[in-house]
Amino acid sequence: MKRTHETMTCSKTQALIEAYLDKELTSDQVSQIDSHLRQCSTCAEELQLAKRTCKTLRSLPVQYCSDRVKAAVLDQVRWERNNTIWKRVRAWLTHGRGLTWRPAFATAVLVALMAMVMLMSRHQQPSPTQVSQEELARAEIEVKWTLAYLGEISQRTGIIVRDEVIGPRVVAPMKKAIENVLENESML
Amino acid sequence: MRKFKTLVDEHRHKIYTFAYYCIGNREDAEDVTQEVLLRLWKNWQQIDPKCLLAWLMRVTKNACVDAIRKRQTYRNMIQSDKDGEASARAISDEVDPETAAEVSDFQQHLKWALSSLSEPYRTVVILREIQDMKYEQISDALNLPLNTMKVYLHRGRQLLRTKMKEVVRYETDS
């Protein structure tokens, strides 16, 4: 009967160590390797080294990328985005046939817009001053008092004119003249 | 723009981690991360969200290869160093001052060994063992059949193990 470790040589064992660690071998292969490892200290040391290497690799830390890199990328992206919009405008203006009419058209549109803005600002009516309700009520009262005062003054003026001007200077002389005429007719 | 910012926050650490372990130094890893995120900005609306991680890792890997090549070319210009491994060692022999006291020699040497591993073994090992990506995701990212990817993973770990033997021998002797 063949001893199992003779069929599994050192070079073959060492070549399969990684697959052995990843459990990718058949059960026969695993048992052959286990058997060989029990008998061969060199290969056993190789297995320990492979385990240690694998464990250390898996423990290597994830590295932190600084915020500076992120900031630089976003700055570049913003710049390219703004540049792209300008490039599209420039491409539209200069690309294709009839190169001359597009810039002229764009300029004419711009001038027309500016002229419209200027005209609208010139014809704009000033808006009436905004007055509060309280001020309106106060003004109304003042107007009423003023009208009442004017009415009072007019009445007094009328009385004065009647009593001091029209009465003595017009009515009284006329009354005296009529009385004289009547007296003369009665004597005749 | 808001959605893009969310994507940046979600993926920048993974991209940076991959780039850092691939290249071995922080400055180049930051440059690569920035480059990858800007490519993401140009293409993110055309990418299927399910394939986004695979796309990012693929672009990062290519950017890392370019960065290493540029750095090697520069070093070849200033010194006649044609040994890629020596260049990788010089690039990656950067001890993080914050953790130097805590990190074991074994881990430091493993990081060096990892960044000096050739492609595609390095990428596969980083994506599987550090990023903890599934086999299917890695095979999508690298456009490799699943079995081929597993073979590369095992071979990569075997190569690392070989490099680490010297460290272990030194530890044992001292």
Side-chain angles (χ1 to χ4, degrees):
Chain A
M1 186 177 152
K2 279 185 188 170
R3 279 186 281 181
T4 52
H5 76 270
E6 284 178 348
T7 60
M8 188 58 73
T9 60
C10 287
S11 60
K12 207 173 173 185
T13 302
Q14 289 179 23
L16 289 174
I17 275 178
E18 303 301 336
Y20 175 83
L21 284 177
D22 287 350
K23 299 181 171 52
E24 289 172 6
L25 298 177
T26 62
S27 51
D28 280 346
Q29 285 174 312
V30 169
S31 58
Q32 282 176 16
I33 286 174
D34 284 339
S35 179
H36 179 84
L37 290 171
R38 279 192 288 272
Q39 316 252 345
C40 177
S41 58
T42 308
C43 288
E45 279 174 18
E46 277 292 320
L47 178 64
Q48 291 311 309
L49 179 58
K51 281 182 179 174
R52 189 182 175 191
T53 305
C54 217
K55 190 180 170 190
T56 310
L57 269 177
R58 288 173 188 171
S59 69
L60 286 175
V62 170
Q63 298 294 320
Y64 173 75
C65 177
S66 75
D67 290 338
R68 188 164 40 89
V69 171
K70 178 185 168 183
V73 168
L74 295 178
D75 282 346
Q76 178 73 12
V77 159
R78 278 187 208 107
W79 183 86
E80 282 189 14
R81 233 174 39 151
N82 295 338
N83 216 25
T84 306
I85 293 166
W86 167 239
K87 273 185 190 167
R88 282 187 192 160
V89 168
R90 208 169 66 175
W92 179 78
L93 286 174
T94 58
H95 185 67
R97 294 182 198 168
L99 290 177
T100 51
W101 72 266
R102 283 180 187 173
F105 177 70
T107 312
V109 165
L110 202 62
V111 166
L113 277 169
M114 281 169 63
M116 251 171 58
V117 165
M118 280 170 63
L119 281 171
M120 278 168 67
S121 63
R122 196 179 288 177
H123 286 115
Q124 207 167 13
Q125 295 286 337
S127 57
T129 323
Q130 297 290 327
V131 180
S132 66
Q133 288 295 326
E134 198 183 344
E135 283 172 336
L136 262 173
R138 207 179 302 132
E140 194 180 0
I141 291 168
E142 283 180 8
V143 166
K144 280 183 182 169
W145 274 103
T146 306
L147 287 174
Y149 183 69
L150 283 172
E152 182 68 23
I153 288 174
S154 303
Q155 195 178 16
R156 286 189 190 176
T157 306
I159 292 168
I160 290 167
V161 165
R162 183 194 67 186
D163 291 342
E164 293 178 14
V165 175
I166 297 174
R169 293 174 191 237
V170 175
V171 173
M174 277 181 71
K175 188 179 175 184
K176 197 172 180 182
I178 292 168
E179 281 176 0
N180 285 341
V181 168
L182 284 175
E183 203 177 78
N184 288 338
E185 282 185 358
S186 66
M187 282 171 73
L188 293 171
Chain B
M1 184 73 172
R2 200 175 294 169
K3 198 172 175 191
F4 177 70
K5 273 188 200 169
T6 310
L7 286 176
V8 167
D9 284 331
E10 203 179 311
H11 294 290
R12 64 185 166 124
H13 302 303
K14 283 179 213 151
I15 297 167
Y16 180 71
T17 299
F18 182 14
Y20 174 72
Y21 286 116
C22 204
I23 300 171
N25 83 68
R26 296 194 185 280
E27 280 175 12
D28 286 348
E30 283 184 354
D31 290 344
V32 162
T33 306
Q34 197 170 324
E35 187 186 325
V36 171
L37 289 172
L38 286 172
R39 281 200 213 173
L40 177 63
W41 164 249
K42 289 181 176 128
N43 297 289
W44 68 280
Q45 286 168 331
Q46 287 95 44
I47 302 168
D48 180 0
K50 289 176 207 166
C51 305
L52 180 61
L53 183 60
W55 185 90
L56 284 170
M57 293 298 111
R58 194 182 321 128
V59 172
T60 308
K61 179 210 132 194
N62 293 335
C64 288
V65 166
D66 290 342
I68 291 169
R69 203 176 287 145
K70 274 184 205 165
R71 200 139 177 151
Q72 279 181 350
T73 308
Y74 174 69
R75 283 184 181 273
N76 287 341
M77 280 165 64
I78 58 169
Q79 325 162 1
S80 46
D81 175 13
K82 289 176 188 176
D83 181 1
E85 206 173 275
S87 297
R89 189 186 305 131
I91 290 164
S92 69
D93 198 14
E94 177 192 84
V95 176
D96 186 343
E98 291 171 1
T99 57
E102 299 160 5
V103 168
S104 65
D105 276 342
F106 191 88
Q107 194 186 84
Q108 271 302 115
H109 281 92
L110 184 59
K111 279 163 72 175
W112 163 77
L114 182 59
S115 63
S116 69
L117 214 55
S118 56
E119 289 295 335
Y121 308 116
R122 179 177 53 209
T123 297
V124 174
V125 168
I126 292 172
L127 293 181
R128 177 68 191 148
E129 305 299 345
I130 301 175
Q131 301 277 51
D132 200 25
M133 281 173 69
K134 294 178 187 164
Y135 287 144
E136 292 77 16
Q137 286 177 313
I138 300 170
S139 96
D140 282 342
L142 303 180
N143 282 331
L144 291 171
L146 199 61
N147 288 334
T148 309
M149 192 278 303
K150 285 183 185 177
V151 166
Y152 285 163
L153 176 64
H154 293 159
R155 180 75 183 132
R157 290 198 329 223
Q158 199 176 9
L159 289 169
L160 279 176
R161 192 164 26 106
T162 309
K163 288 176 192 275
M164 295 310 291
K165 270 186 195 167
E166 287 301 318
V167 178
V168 171
R169 204 165 289 153
Y170 175 76
E171 280 179 350
T172 316
D173 291 346
S174 61

